[in-house]
Amino acid sequence: MELPIIEPFKIKMVENIYSSTKEQRENWIKDASFNLFNLKSEQVCIDLLTDSGTGAMSDKQWSAIMLGDESYAGASSYYKLKEAIKDITGFDFFLPTHQGRAAENVLFSVLVKEGDLVPGNSHFDTTKGHIEFRKATAVDCTIDDAADPISWHPFKGNVDIKKLENLLKTNPSEKISCILVTITNNTAGGQPVSMSNLREVRKLSLKYGVKLIIDSARFAENACFIKLREEGYADKEIRDIAREMFSYADGMTMSSKKDAIVNMGGFIGFRDEELFRQASTYNIIYEGFITYGGMSGRDMNALAQGLYEGTEFLYLKSRINQVAYLGSKLKEYGIPSLEPYGGHAIFIDAKRFLPHIPREEFPGQTLAIEIYTEGGVRGVEIGALMADRDPVTRQNRFPELEMVRLAIPRRVYTDNHMDYVAAVIRNVFERRNQIKKGIKINWEAPIMRHFTVRLEKL
Ligand code: F0G
């Protein structure tokens, strides 16, 4: 028989999981104003809020931490990281930052000005936040297939080349800060972008004289999907695929908390020394000197090691396989989720799960609350609440997809935990008709409201 795909690691250290009763959770979520970000971690049993910074580091990463060089300038840890970034991405210049949004902040301080447009494929919320904060506009040019939760497109995160070219054709290039391609496309469901799509986007970026930046948080998962799904890549190494992806870009922002399997960290990669120089000034203001930028030496060491571990094919295959295992369990129970399954998460389709709850009552958040109270599983709403209000009209935005994301931390949970999660959601699904009402907002921040919003059950 064909041998199953296994995790290419074993467990050396364990951490306690907290259990609780339904009654306790009902009280806790009420005290948290029905915002799952307000829960204490002890109040959560299986935490699928995010795959960001929640991964388990390896023995090699922990050993690298002991060898960290904490010199303010020119630390060996910086050079070690520089070498790893050059090797894996091909970028000659880089700046460390404390996380991904900090990389966005530094780079956009150079690139984005008031009135600009930033076309791309479903910008992540902090990315959009940094763009809108500068009074510029993020223009979503993702392919239409991405808005359909059941259409089976192997690269559902792709940029719609026609939409992009239309925008580039009808606007002066000085008005376009850059084209921003997010791999994998988190907001559209952890969906990959194909190599041929990146190539097409690059052609347009050169034709119209606009920079192409890759938001690379999950670049290794994207490379793995290219290997598994795109013609001509089956025999290529993940790192060769990654280098090819980055060869089409002028720069990258990275949240190292995802595919580089560290708990904190980020960086910016640059092809052009001039852009690197300009960004360096902002790095010094916002993050720290250019050879540490908000990271300690030990963390840069762990990151350098994590970049290699995160680009191992066997690891990536087992990870993507675990996510798909949860997806197929849910499917077996008749629970609607976005397909194909994402690289880092399963996205439950709240519109089909709770069709009787109107969008104004935030069915995604309502479902996330129910899943938490049922079994202590914490996911996150990716829908109207997260989409914020339109910065000009101040009206609620209602994106096509209304989802609850179950993001799987790297190397943390077993398939047994996935069975538990699926059982919890099945129980909610079986009583879905008893969930009569959604929620309303009591207080919200003017931007990125979902992190701090206070809610009330209707
Ligand atoms: N870009 C993408 C595609 C992301 O998913 C994230 C973070 C960032 C940028 C920002 O990076 O958190 O290091 O500042 N995503 C996390 C998530 C928070 O849960 O999806 P950061």
Side-chain angles (χ1 to χ4, degrees):
M1 79 190 267
E2 199 182 329
L3 297 178
I5 297 167
I6 57 163
E7 295 77 6
F9 51 82
K10 54 188 177 176
I11 297 163
K12 196 185 292 241
M13 190 186 280
V14 295
E15 187 182 340
N16 190 43
I17 279 183
Y18 296 90
S19 60
S20 50
T21 65
K22 202 167 174 182
E23 198 189 346
Q24 279 176 315
R25 292 189 293 270
E26 276 165 357
N27 289 328
W28 289 334
I29 191 68
K30 200 162 160 225
D31 291 344
S33 304
F34 298 99
N35 179 345
L36 291 110
F37 284 97
N38 286 340
L39 291 169
K40 293 180 182 159
S41 61
E42 307 98 88
Q43 296 168 339
V44 176
C45 177
I46 306 278
D47 205 347
L48 308 184
L49 183 70
T50 180
D51 63 320
S52 180
T54 52
M57 289 210 293
S58 68
D59 49 358
K60 289 202 174 113
Q61 284 178 292
W62 282 109
S63 323
I65 276 188
M66 295 308 291
L67 298 174
D69 175 354
E70 306 302 341
S71 304
Y72 189 94
S76 63
S77 303
Y78 164 81
Y79 286 103
K80 195 170 178 173
L81 177 56
K82 185 175 164 63
E83 211 171 286
I85 290 172
K86 167 76 186 168
D87 187 22
I88 285 170
T89 71
F91 287 117
D92 283 321
F93 304 97
F94 103 100
L95 286 171
T97 63
H98 79 275
Q99 62 182 93
R101 67 200 68 185
E104 291 160 4
N105 187 32
V106 169
L107 184 64
F108 292 175
S109 293
V110 181
L111 294 180
V112 182
K113 47 185 201 314
E114 187 170 339
D116 274 5
L117 301 174
V118 186
N121 55 341
S122 333
H123 312 64
F124 181 65
D125 57 351
T126 60
T127 320
K128 195 151 78 190
H130 274 297
I131 293 167
E132 293 179 351
F133 184 72
R134 290 172 170 80
K135 300 197 164 43
T137 309
V139 185
D140 188 356
C141 298
T142 314
I143 55 169
D144 290 337
D145 268 90
D148 178 349
I150 50 172
S151 101
W152 209 99
H153 189 301
F155 293 98
K156 229 175 170 176
N158 276 356
V159 177
D160 187 316
I161 298 299
K162 276 209 188 104
K163 284 187 205 166
L164 178 63
E165 178 144 33
N166 233 352
L167 182 131
L168 296 173
K169 228 171 16 196
T170 51
N171 288 283
S173 62
E174 313 81 69
K175 243 192 112 183
I176 317 285
S177 318
C178 62
I179 303 165
L180 193 82
V181 181
T182 304
I183 59 173
T184 60
N185 186 332
N186 180 12
T187 312
Q191 301 294 320
V193 173
S194 71
M195 194 69 92
S196 66
N197 192 247
L198 280 173
R199 229 175 271 132
E200 292 296 309
V201 175
R202 182 49 161 179
K203 272 191 208 150
L204 291 183
S205 111
L206 293 175
K207 181 171 168 192
Y208 291 93
V210 175
K211 286 195 164 53
L212 169 54
I213 304 294
I214 297 184
D215 177 346
S216 325
R218 300 178 183 85
F219 77 95
E221 287 163 13
N222 200 85
C224 189
F225 280 121
I226 288 177
K227 184 175 168 80
L228 296 172
R229 292 182 187 168
E230 192 161 350
E231 215 187 306
Y233 288 92
D235 298 326
K236 293 230 159 93
E237 299 283 338
I238 293 292
R239 284 174 210 140
D240 291 333
I241 298 173
R243 268 189 297 269
E244 184 183 342
M245 295 186 317
F246 290 121
S247 75
Y248 302 124
D250 297 290
M252 65 182 286
T253 54
M254 177 71 184
S255 167
S256 309
K257 302 167 72 171
K258 282 85 170 176
D259 275 357
I261 329 181
V262 290
N263 303 118
M264 194 50 75
F267 61 88
I268 315 168
F270 308 85
R271 194 163 308 290
D272 170 33
E273 187 168 8
E274 181 49 31
L275 185 59
F276 160 75
R277 288 225 177 106
Q278 289 172 21
S280 295
T281 305
Y282 292 101
N283 217 62
I284 294 167
I285 296 174
Y286 292 131
E287 292 296 297
F289 184 60
I290 58 172
T291 64
Y292 74 87
M295 292 188 74
S296 43
R298 53 180 172 270
D299 286 345
M300 287 193 281
N301 265 11
L303 170 53
Q305 172 66 24
L307 279 167
Y308 285 101
E309 292 178 14
T311 48
E312 285 288 340
F313 179 55
L314 287 182
Y315 149 73
L316 285 165
K317 204 161 76 164
S318 80
R319 161 156 180 77
I320 286 172
N321 199 53
Q322 184 178 49
V323 175
Y325 175 75
L326 175 60
S328 57
K329 271 266 152 200
L330 295 178
K331 191 172 179 151
E332 186 188 319
Y333 299 153
I335 295 155
S337 67
L338 193 132
E339 287 183 60
Y341 307 130
H344 67 297
I346 290 299
F347 291 70
I348 303 174
D349 185 349
K351 277 207 276 190
R352 279 186 289 153
F353 197 116
L354 296 173
H356 53 286
I357 308 265
R359 291 299 295 279
E360 294 71 25
E361 294 181 16
F362 303 103
Q365 182 66 13
T366 305
L367 179 57
I369 294 164
E370 291 295 335
I371 292 171
Y372 169 69
T373 31
E374 180 67 31
V377 175
R378 172 158 73 167
V380 72
E381 186 252 23
I382 303 227
L385 197 61
M386 184 188 258
D388 262 329
R389 290 176 189 274
D390 183 285
V392 180
T393 66
R394 301 305 300 156
Q395 294 301 307
N396 274 321
R397 288 191 277 216
F398 291 106
E400 207 48 54
L401 298 174
E402 176 80 13
M403 302 176 291
V404 175
R405 184 186 75 174
L406 306 169
I408 317 293
R410 294 167 182 76
R411 308 192 291 207
V412 170
Y413 292 117
T414 66
D415 288 355
N416 249 336
H417 292 121
M418 298 301 116
D419 287 340
Y420 174 86
V421 171
V424 166
I425 298 168
R426 182 185 183 160
N427 286 353
V428 179
F429 192 58
E430 278 168 3
R431 61 172 176 79
R432 64 192 180 281
N433 292 327
Q434 289 150 269
I435 305 165
K436 302 274 187 223
K437 292 243 169 234
I439 45 133
K440 72 168 196 165
I441 296 176
N442 271 345
W443 178 87
E444 65 185 279
I447 195 167
M448 293 202 280
R449 63 181 179 189
H450 66 289
F451 288 115
T452 51
V453 72
R454 283 189 220 124
L455 303 161
E456 188 182 305
K457 267 195 173 172
L458 285 166

